[in-house]
Amino acid sequence: MTRLHLFDLDGTLLHGTTAPVEISRQLGLETETVALDRAIAEGRIGPPEYAAQVYELWAGLTEAHARAAFEAAPWLARIREVWAEIRSAGEYCAVVSLSPSFFVERLLDWGAHAAHGSRFPAVPFTEPIDPTGALNAAAKVTIAERLCVEFGVARADCVAYGDSSSDQELFAVVPVSVAVNADARLTRLATHSYTGRDLWEAYELVGPAR
């Protein structure tokens, strides 16, 4: 038996923040992006509108900004150790996030087998954004199903880790889920719940594959 572990990014691997906020912090635009995060969380805008608006905010974004945002972000402890353990067990780990692809894909260097985010042009932006490339909650399920095929894993052997409403649809279709520093609604749906800043402790709730 092998498993596929599916990790959300914002509020899950990142503690108390989102990748767009961390990127905007490097540009002095944190306040504006926190407001956008609130708007999408409250359903006042959708992922395409969110992507288009942060793209405009990030007109001056450079690779140095993106790298600094990634390196300074408040990551949970022992992410790389968890993914190394998953790999050593012959299992798979992937990140599926609504955040920009150019940020999410940096986690491949930490040991993720796959990393999927909303499609953005390469940094610095020289091409327009296609808002239809913005992921939503349903897209997480679609990507998970595609990864199952790619890795030869059944949906019944998936484990999802998340924190908010964007993870509800994925939690509903996998047998095991871990709510990580999650809101009450997602916690009620989850198999396990973890509050803290160490991914290893959340991973231990799942236990080894039987």
Side-chain angles (χ1 to χ4, degrees), residues 75-177:
W75 298 100
L76 291 194
R78 297 199 282 181
I79 294 172
R80 280 170 279 199
E81 289 84 349
V82 167
W83 292 351
E85 178 68 16
I86 288 170
R87 281 177 169 270
S88 71
E91 299 182 352
Y92 300 95
C93 51
V95 182
V96 185
S97 171
L98 276 56
S99 275
S101 51
F102 65 81
F103 190 96
V104 179
E105 290 167 4
R106 292 174 183 270
L107 289 166
L108 293 170
D109 290 337
W110 284 16
H113 287 92
H116 293 271
S118 294
R119 292 196 307 275
F120 270 69
V123 176
F125 299 146
T126 59
E127 300 175 3
I129 188 171
D130 178 0
T132 64
L135 302 186
N136 56 24
K140 288 191 172 187
V141 177
T142 300
I143 291 169
E145 290 174 341
R146 190 164 71 240
L147 290 172
C148 283
V149 173
E150 179 179 344
F151 297 132
V153 176
R155 184 191 287 182
D157 297 321
C158 289
V159 183
Y161 304 74
D163 77 301
S164 66
S165 59
S166 70
D167 302 299
Q168 287 181 16
E169 293 191 34
L170 186 58
F171 273 36
V173 299
V174 301
V176 179
S177 55

